[in-house]
Amino acid sequence: MGGFSFSRWLGILIKEFIQLRRDRLTFGMIVGIPIIQLLLFGFAINSDPKHLPAAIVMADPGPFARAYVAAMKNSEYFKIVGSVDEREADRLLDRSEVQFVVTFPVGFHRDLVRGKKPTLLVEADASDPMAVGGAISVLNHLGAEVFAADLPGLQRPAAEPMELRVHRRYNPESITAYNIVPGLLGVILTMTMILMTGLAMTRERERGTFENLLATPATPVEVMTGKIVPYILIGLIQVTLILLAARWVFGVPMLGNLFLLYGVVLLFICANLTLGITFSSIARNQLQAMQMTFFFFLPSMLLSGFMFPFRGMPDWAQFVGNVLPLTHFLILVRGILLKGNGLELMWGHTWPILLFMGTVLALGLGTFRRTLD
Amino acid sequence: MAVAPLVIDVAGINKQFGNKHVVKDLALQVRQGEIFGFLGPNGSGKTTSIRMLCGLLTPDSGRGTCLGLDVLTQSATIKRQVGYMTQKFSLWDDLTISENLDFVARMFGMKERKSTVTRALDGLGLSGRRDQLAGTLSGGWKQRLALAACLLHKPKLLLLDEPTAGVDPKARRDFWEEIHRLSAAGITVLVSTHYMDEAERCHRLGYIAYGTLLASGTAEEVVASQHLHTWQISGSGLQDLTERLRQLPGADLVASFGATLHISGKDGAKLKAGLEDFLRTTSLTMTAVPPSLEDAFIHMMQGSRDQFEG
Ligand SMILES: Nc1ncnc2c1ncn2[C@@H]1O[C@H](COP(=O)(O)OP(=O)(O)O)[C@@H](O)[C@H]1O
Ligand SMILES: [Mg+2]
């Protein structure tokens, strides 16, 4: 008797579509929320994160280079993850495993001693410009402080002992919108998807129509998935709205594959819808569903790297953040839009979303009440 | 004539919400084609009992069958063959009349959905308003729509929870004619109600108060089970004497019936003597009458309330 019936499922789907079409308020939300949030978050949000992971490419090891690396560590702005070769360094940057790569060029030691101002190359993942600003300004001072004392008086140059060349990758002009717009994509989807599905089932319960639905042979899987599908479409509409605004209003670059982007978006939408529908099968009324949504929405916004640079947060917050789908979604979307990442670099942030979704779905089906008890 | 098979046959059904014992040891037997009236004051457990019969609530204990299927384990199958009309209108206000019917037909996997819905609309006389939102219908029309919706899948058993509450007398009469037509066609109907005249239209009755089924049977059997002796009192100045009549020895129950008063008691001889004594000093007259169904119900309710509160 528990078999899935496609025609029943279709019936639920059609009903949801009709009800959605007649619900002016929800329709307003679909268009209104992205626009309002785009305006709100156009403002910059300042912060000064420390302990950013940095990799060192050491082409010329020597006492000065070692002293410089030690000074970077002492500044507390950097966490040195190790010495790597150039290719590995590139890969680390692409996967967002480090924020900086500092390269000591061949002849660094010799040039420094001779007062020839060697060039230190710093590559920064500046997709979130806020995250790297503080650290770069520290690097600028560091040169004079470290070497001034140790260089013999004669060779001591009047100004800087070396030159710092900073390479801001992914967002060379440090445009905040580049970072905010992909982030908004995630935040808006989180909020509207969870809220709307959260209300979908509790609304039936509050109006008493749930009793009628339960009196029919419809199964929990049919009801839950049938209610989800219309919102997937709504989510895709919202994403398209935001992407159009990102491209034509903010001029955000879109380097990666758009199909890949929509694939990631679809996964993220499903994860949020699953959570929403689970909330609504646990909640007794619409108010409770709303409270649960915000209870989940706040940490998502604060701890995912949307509001504050992820690496600037304390360990416990990063731990919580890693559980949230939004955290991984942000990395994936920035990776696709700003870095042009392809499929092969994405798995590491895809499975946490899948795991989250599976766990929540099991919870939702487990708590779906077939009766009014 | 062969006795019709039992469509509902349950016993020892209990349900508690928290520590509130809402239905106590309910036993119910309803035969095929019968109209069974379910009566009792508000909050006595009628809705809860009906919900347990169609699998919307799980009984804490008990056993029995509904349409030959186990109420505890086979509720999914029971649902397909039962038409349940909820106490409160529970179709979708923001769907039109035909969308509501179409949705219900889909849920029950009807084969010829379109024609079934069209026929139902014609039967309702609502074909012209098929695109009107259900939420904008009046009480009487909502009730007819709800009945039509729960008849779509041709159920063998109808569970109707206070279907005529808030419906005007004409619509109520039409409704009961429809119920009798269905019953004649072999459909079993269990209907809860507050109205005495509706109780009298049922083949058999059950009276439930504070979760306990106090009596069941035909109207005559229910009345007889109370062993009441009733006198009708009439005459001028009746109002002023009501309070004193209540105090008479053996007067278990005093109830107004229009301009007259019904006074009943279990101990007929004692009450009769008291009454004759009392009326000698007034201009009122007394006539022995058979106790009515309403007398019996009020008596049962008083009895169970005393027990419940005492
Ligand atoms: N889901 C529930 N949770 C807690 N109490 C309930 C629930 N449903 C009904 N009740 C209580 O059970 C009692 C019987 O209710 P109900 O079956 O609706 O009575 P009736 O239909 O005869 O008016 C009432 O006191 C009601 O408050
Ligand atoms: Mg009720």
Side-chain angles (χ1 to χ4, degrees), chain B residues 269-284:
Chain B
K270 186 166 153 198
L271 179 58
K272 186 167 185 240
L275 266 176
E276 281 168 347
D277 211 37
F278 180 79
L279 292 186
R280 212 163 291 140
T281 62
T282 68
S283 60
L284 299 176

Side-chain angles (χ1 to χ4, degrees), chain A residues 267 271 322-323 325 347 350-362:
Chain A
L267 173 70
N322 271 321
V323 175
W347 176 241
T350 306
W351 70 259
I353 301 181
L354 284 172
L355 181 68
F356 180 89
M357 194 163 112
T359 312
V360 169
L361 186 67

Side-chain angles (χ1 to χ4, degrees), chain A residues 183-191 193 239 262-274 296 300 324-330 332-333 353 357:
Chain A
L184 266 189
L185 208 61
V187 169
I188 290 170
L189 284 179
T190 303
M191 174 136 134
M193 293 296 99
V239 168
Y262 270 89
V264 169
V265 162
L266 207 58
L267 173 70
F268 183 65
I269 288 177
C270 289
N272 282 309
L273 290 179
T274 316
F296 179 80
S300 285
L324 303 168
L326 183 58
T327 307
H328 303 281
F329 177 75
L330 289 184
L332 289 173
V333 170
I353 301 181
M357 194 163 112

Side-chain angles (χ1 to χ4, degrees), chain A residues 22 207 211 214 372-373, chain B residues 15 56 79 84 88 94:
Chain A
R22 300 220 167 99
R207 291 184 185 168
E211 187 170 2
L214 279 182
L372 294 166
D373 287 275
Chain B
K15 183 73 188 173
L56 290 183
K79 278 182 191 174
Y84 170 44
K88 186 177 155 278
D94 49 353

Side-chain angles (χ1 to χ4, degrees), chain A residues 1 7-8 10-12 14-15 18-19 21-22 204 206-209 211-218 370-373, chain B residues 15 17 47 51 55-58 76-77 79-80 84 86 88-92 94-96 99 103 106-109 133:
Chain A
M1 280 299 129
S7 69
R8 276 204 302 265
L10 190 68
I12 293 169
I14 293 172
K15 164 179 158 297
I18 297 173
Q19 289 183 298
R21 202 185 64 210
R22 300 220 167 99
E204 301 250 4
E206 253 173 52
R207 291 184 185 168
T209 52
E211 187 170 2
N212 219 324
L213 200 57
L214 279 182
T216 73
R370 271 165 201 271
T371 62
L372 294 166
D373 287 275
Chain B
K15 183 73 188 173
F17 290 116
T47 300
R51 283 175 175 166
L56 290 183
L57 284 173
T58 324
T77 321
K79 278 182 191 174
R80 289 164 197 269
Y84 170 44
T86 54
K88 186 177 155 278
F89 180 72
S90 64
L91 289 170
W92 288 265
D94 49 353
L95 295 186
T96 66
E99 283 163 357
F103 176 71
R106 274 182 200 273
M107 287 305 103
F108 283 96
L133 292 184

Side-chain angles (χ1 to χ4, degrees), chain A residues 372, chain B residues 17 20 22 41-49 51 87 161-162:
Chain A
L372 294 166
Chain B
F17 290 116
K20 202 153 135 199
V22 175
N42 275 332
S44 56
K46 300 184 295 291
T47 300
T48 307
S49 304
R51 283 175 175 166
Q87 180 171 353
D161 197 359
E162 294 193 30

